[in-house]
Amino acid sequence: MVKLIAAAIGAIFCAALLWGAVQPRDAVVPDLVKKYYQHAEPAGFSFDNPIVGKFDRAQLQRGFQVYKEVCSGCHSLNRVAFRTLTDIGFSAAEVKAIAKQYDIPSLDAAGEPTTRKGLPSDNFYGPYANDDAARAANNNALPPDLSLIGKSREGGANYVHALLIGYKETPPKDWTTPDGLYFNVHFHSLNIAMPPPLNPDQVTYVDGTKATVDQMAKDVAAFLMWTAEPKLEERRRTGVGAVIFLIILTGLAYLSYARVWQSVKAKKTQV
Amino acid sequence: MSFPWAKHYEPKSGFMKYVDSRLPIPRLVYNSLGAGYPVPKNLNYFYNFGVLAGVALVIQIITGIVLAMHYAANAKIAFDSVEHIMRDVNGGWMMRYMHATGASFFFIAVYIHIFRGLYYGSYKPPREVLWLLGLVIFLLMMATAFMGYVLVWGQMSFWGATVITGLFSALPLVGETIQTWLLGGFAPDNATLNRFFSLHYLLPFVTLGVVILHVWALHIPGSNNPTGIDVKSEADTVPFHPYYTAKDFFGLGVYLTIFAAVVFFWPNALGEVDNYIPANPLSTPAHIVPEWYFWPFYAILRAFTVDFLFIPAKLWGVIAMFAAILLLFFLPWLDTSPVRSNNYRPMAKIAFWVFFADIILLAICGGKPAEEPWVRLSQLASVYYFAHFLIILPILSRIERPLPLPNSISEAVLKRQTNVGAPASQQLPGAGIAEMPATGRAQPAE
């Protein structure tokens, strides 16, 4: 009886599915976004290797310089605290000086809104007071906060690098990019509101590295990977220790397992 | 219950005697995990995954309790509090990555555990209740995992909650009301997040309770084994301790090594990048997908594309998705073949591997956007899913002629060893037995 009911239910489900499967499908409209969209190519970062890869401190500092002099005009970085900049090689005094350049909203002694100089314990602030102000200043497009951009896009740092160098002067003939938007093959909709941000020699690197667009894009991508995953090196270091420990433990566990079962296995072949 | 040859607990010291006569916990442990619990001696490595799933649950509970000390279940700051854990809490990143990856590993362990049960017929008498309790655990962990994913309050959390609770709106008449009641509003918001946090903290302990019942139910008939035949004598078993404690410890080591490698080297490999974007009710992600462990069921949900018998396609999908899990509760009464192990069921064995491939195909379809060829593939794969359990297995259990069964577990073990070709010098005494014609017949169900 159970089986008959089951078979009947099964037959109904199968019929509903097969009826759906034999329906004709709508003609596929060729999707131009799919045609022109390109996945980010690997840019080759020092932290690419998931086990031993490390950040390049000098690159992170260059990337910070690019963020500060270019990106921070529109993009916030408000999950990152100034104090954490010591992790990428800045001294405590340098961090203090960097923080001081920012005005942080505050209240004065009378309770009136005012601003004060930033402290190392503050997070990055600005450039806009809120999302509405950001939209108002950017033609109604919202520049995303960059703190997590290294993890919130497929491809991570490679994506950031590819996007920054992925602008094309003229879109293909069958694609229209409206005024005020820019054609970029690495952006999900191909039309991005951000104008090409980098020009050759836009920043002057303290360490004398030549500031090509590709170099700046790579440096800032590395920096933004660090802001997204500041504990990356600590994580991998801990992981190497943990995995080595566990392999040794598992080896010992195997030896004790083999030892315990020795008598049973021997008996099996002799009985 | 146990086998008559099970060893009895004898307290060694005066102190243990004192404890045992007042609260017999030492006796309980001895009889359930110690030398007092005889277990078939031919269990393979697939039998490790019950213990591994238990460990995975404990890891989730411990890391989860620590995370809850720093997490704030409020729609305004939930995402920020997760980032606070990642950046400012000492070791917080480790706790969170262990918890997120741990959920995936819990499902990996449980899925292998379930497939092992399906292959060796562990759901058949006398283990039906054991199987049913296992399915209750499976349902509880699916609910817990879903609600936990929402707590991050990223884009995929928010839209996943919208889609899944939206399923209930497909029910006729009462659907919308039920959805509003579940969410505590018309869309996921603070009320939703708070109740999900409350339930996400509660359900693991409910799960733990059902796990205890599951283990209890296991200890009544004892473990099934790869031959599927019953234990006949003491020669078929070994005491759980030290034999299976040693084997489980080794299996645990392998499991933890792989787990640690993923946690520390590929912590985001099993997640969706969109969930690192804070929830935004005004911006829908291009491609909403649940976590990988829900993909087969998500594929079944989306496989129903046309209205049929006056029932709308959406409702069909919802019914079918729930039915796909609920039908497993009836499995012991659908597959009534008296032979448990598929090693001795040539046709059911083929059906099993087709089913396994089918689930993989469904999982792939579930992770893809709803476009061709994935929709049609998921429709065909869903057909096999339902046909396998509701039509093929019941028929097979009637018409199939199983292979001859070995007389005992010991005999099966001997036979396999001679077939594999142990060194000739060791084979001598056993060889004669292995060449005897197998006289076993299909065992009648108890």
Side-chain angles (χ1 to χ4, degrees), chain B residues 58-397:
Chain B
V58 171
I59 291 177
Q60 289 307 90
I61 289 179
I62 293 172
T63 54
I65 288 173
V66 175
L67 287 172
M69 295 173 187
H70 301 276
Y71 172 78
N74 180 297
K76 283 209 168 56
I77 54 172
F79 190 91
D80 295 340
S81 74
V82 173
E83 277 305 308
H84 162 70
I85 290 170
M86 293 296 285
R87 290 162 191 272
D88 298 331
V89 174
N90 288 335
W93 58 268
M94 199 193 308
M95 285 297 139
R96 173 158 179 261
Y97 278 151
M98 280 174 76
H99 198 69
T101 312
S104 282
F105 270 69
F106 193 7
F107 273 96
I108 292 172
V110 162
Y111 277 132
I112 296 176
H113 189 61
I114 293 175
F115 274 109
R116 191 269 290 149
L118 288 174
Y119 186 87
Y120 294 121
S122 303
Y123 49 84
K124 291 184 183 180
R127 297 186 183 82
E128 306 97 309
V129 172
L130 175 60
W131 169 257
L132 300 181
L133 288 168
L135 289 173
V136 171
I137 295 171
F138 182 48
L139 285 176
L140 282 170
M141 60 186 278
M142 291 210 286
T144 310
F146 163 66
M147 288 188 280
Y149 194 64
V150 173
L151 298 187
V152 182
W153 212 241
Q155 272 290 68
M156 216 47 101
S157 301
F158 180 89
W159 291 98
T162 308
V163 171
I164 299 298
T165 55
L167 297 179
F168 292 92
S169 71
L171 298 173
L173 302 174
V174 292
E176 300 277 345
T177 317
I178 289 181
Q179 188 192 1
T180 308
W181 176 71
L182 285 175
L183 288 174
F186 299 109
D189 205 340
N190 201 42
T192 319
L193 184 61
N194 265 306
R195 64 187 56 191
F196 277 19
F197 180 60
S198 171
L199 292 172
H200 184 73
Y201 208 114
L202 167 71
L203 291 186
F205 296 97
V206 177
T207 308
L208 194 61
V210 184
V211 167
I212 290 171
L213 296 181
H214 187 68
V215 174
W216 188 8
L218 167 72
H219 279 71
I220 302 305
S223 283
N224 185 25
N225 67 83
T227 65
I229 60 175
D230 287 330
V231 167
K232 301 270 167 48
S233 70
E234 192 171 0
D236 292 346
T237 65
V238 291
F240 191 84
H241 181 74
Y243 291 95
Y244 284 106
T245 41
K247 190 169 182 176
D248 281 335
F249 188 57
F250 168 56
L252 181 63
V254 175
Y255 173 84
L256 288 180
T257 307
I258 299 170
F259 178 56
V262 176
V263 166
F264 291 112
F265 304 138
W266 295 275
N268 292 309
L270 296 165
E272 290 291 329
V273 288
D274 280 54
N275 229 25
Y276 279 110
I277 304 171
N280 180 357
L282 299 177
S283 149
T284 317
H287 179 200
I288 302 176
V289 280
E291 291 284 83
W292 69 266
Y293 35 79
F294 292 132
W295 284 354
F297 304 105
Y298 196 54
I300 292 174
L301 170 74
R302 294 191 303 178
F304 291 81
T305 51
V306 287
D307 299 357
F308 187 74
L309 298 178
F310 309 106
I311 298 176
K314 188 181 173 188
L315 184 54
W316 269 116
V318 174
I319 294 172
M321 184 180 74
F322 286 108
I325 300 167
L326 294 180
L327 64 82
L328 295 172
F329 282 87
F330 297 91
L331 187 55
W333 298 277
L334 294 173
D335 174 15
T336 49
S337 167
V339 177
R340 296 197 188 102
S341 171
N342 274 340
N343 280 347
Y344 302 96
R345 298 184 61 191
M347 293 162 85
K349 190 178 188 171
I350 296 170
F352 172 87
W353 287 113
V354 174
F355 173 70
F356 182 75
D358 187 64
I359 284 281
I360 303 289
L361 179 61
L362 275 173
I364 294 170
C365 293
K368 298 282 181 190
E371 51 191 42
E372 295 302 342
W374 305 113
V375 176
R376 200 167 260 143
L377 275 177
S378 63
Q379 287 172 329
L380 298 176
S382 304
V383 167
Y384 186 79
Y385 184 96
F386 288 107
H388 177 82
F389 286 113
L390 297 174
I391 301 171
I392 295 173
L393 279 186
I395 293 178
L396 277 189
S397 59

Side-chain angles (χ1 to χ4, degrees), chain A residues 127-149:
Chain A
Y128 304 108
N130 50 54
D131 285 359
D132 291 337
R135 282 186 189 279
N138 287 285
N139 202 9
N140 206 30
L142 178 67
D145 180 78
L146 294 184
S147 316
L148 279 167
I149 207 83

Side-chain angles (χ1 to χ4, degrees), chain B residues 26-79:
Chain B
R27 183 173 298 268
L28 180 73
V29 171
Y30 185 87
N31 289 338
S32 49
L33 299 167
Y37 177 45
V39 184
K41 66 180 183 184
N42 60 335
L43 302 189
N44 56 30
Y45 282 111
F46 287 107
Y47 284 78
N48 282 54
F49 284 90
V51 165
L52 296 182
V55 171
L57 174 62
V58 171
I59 291 177
Q60 289 307 90
I61 289 179
I62 293 172
T63 54
I65 288 173
V66 175
L67 287 172
M69 295 173 187
H70 301 276
Y71 172 78
N74 180 297
K76 283 209 168 56
I77 54 172
F79 190 91

Side-chain angles (χ1 to χ4, degrees), chain A residues 166-243:
Chain A
Y167 288 89
K168 299 276 182 288
E169 287 280 318
T170 43
K173 286 197 186 67
D174 51 352
W175 181 262
T176 37
T177 298
D179 279 347
L181 298 181
Y182 302 86
F183 182 71
N184 191 320
V185 290
H186 294 294
F187 194 62
H188 63 87
S189 65
L190 300 183
N191 292 331
I192 186 169
M194 174 169 72
L198 297 172
N199 298 304
D201 295 319
Q202 191 160 356
V203 301
T204 312
Y205 282 134
V206 194
D207 64 1
T209 308
K210 177 132 180 60
T212 61
V213 170
D214 187 68
Q215 183 67 41
M216 288 184 287
K218 224 177 133 180
D219 290 346
V220 79
F223 172 69
L224 292 175
M225 190 63 222
W226 172 77
T227 62
E229 188 77 358
K231 302 294 167 71
L232 178 138
E233 290 183 355
E234 184 188 347
R235 166 162 65 74
R236 290 176 180 171
R237 215 171 33 240
T238 316
V240 170
V243 169

Side-chain angles (χ1 to χ4, degrees), chain A residues 27-255:
Chain A
V28 179
V29 185
D31 189 349
L32 287 175
V33 175
K34 263 193 190 156
K35 184 174 164 195
Y36 293 120
Y37 177 82
Q38 286 173 20
H39 285 280
E41 296 285 323
F45 289 101
S46 58
F47 49 83
D48 278 344
N49 185 310
I51 297 168
V52 294
K54 284 191 161 73
F55 288 122
D56 172 353
R57 293 285 179 287
Q59 183 176 44
L60 294 187
Q61 294 191 14
R62 290 197 300 274
F64 170 63
Q65 190 182 348
V66 176
Y67 167 74
K68 202 158 154 295
E69 294 180 16
V70 185
C71 317
S72 70
C74 303
H75 291 280
S76 58
L77 195 65
N78 54 28
R79 296 184 191 283
V80 180
F82 294 119
R83 62 187 151 80
T84 59
L85 289 174
T86 52
D87 290 351
I88 65 171
F90 287 107
S91 67
E94 284 169 323
V95 169
K96 224 170 183 175
I98 292 167
K100 228 175 180 173
Q101 297 165 9
Y102 286 78
D103 289 323
I104 310 285
S106 177
L107 298 176
D108 64 14
E112 296 296 324
T114 177
T115 60
R116 60 170 172 80
K117 295 286 172 211
L119 296 167
S121 56
D122 288 315
N123 282 12
F124 278 81
Y125 180 79
Y128 304 108
N130 50 54
D131 285 359
D132 291 337
R135 282 186 189 279
N138 287 285
N139 202 9
N140 206 30
L142 178 67
D145 180 78
L146 294 184
S147 316
L148 279 167
I149 207 83
K151 285 199 291 191
S152 61
R153 299 290 185 279
E154 210 66 67
N158 292 325
Y159 167 85
V160 176
H161 168 258
L163 186 83
L164 291 174
I165 61 170
Y167 288 89
K168 299 276 182 288
E169 287 280 318
T170 43
K173 286 197 186 67
D174 51 352
W175 181 262
T176 37
T177 298
D179 279 347
L181 298 181
Y182 302 86
F183 182 71
N184 191 320
V185 290
H186 294 294
F187 194 62
H188 63 87
S189 65
L190 300 183
N191 292 331
I192 186 169
M194 174 169 72
L198 297 172
N199 298 304
D201 295 319
Q202 191 160 356
V203 301
T204 312
Y205 282 134
V206 194
D207 64 1
T209 308
K210 177 132 180 60
T212 61
V213 170
D214 187 68
Q215 183 67 41
M216 288 184 287
K218 224 177 133 180
D219 290 346
V220 79
F223 172 69
L224 292 175
M225 190 63 222
W226 172 77
T227 62
E229 188 77 358
K231 302 294 167 71
L232 178 138
E233 290 183 355
E234 184 188 347
R235 166 162 65 74
R236 290 176 180 171
R237 215 171 33 240
T238 316
V240 170
V243 169
I244 290 175
F245 169 79
L246 284 167
I247 287 175
I248 294 172
L249 183 73
T250 307
L252 292 173
Y254 180 76
L255 292 178

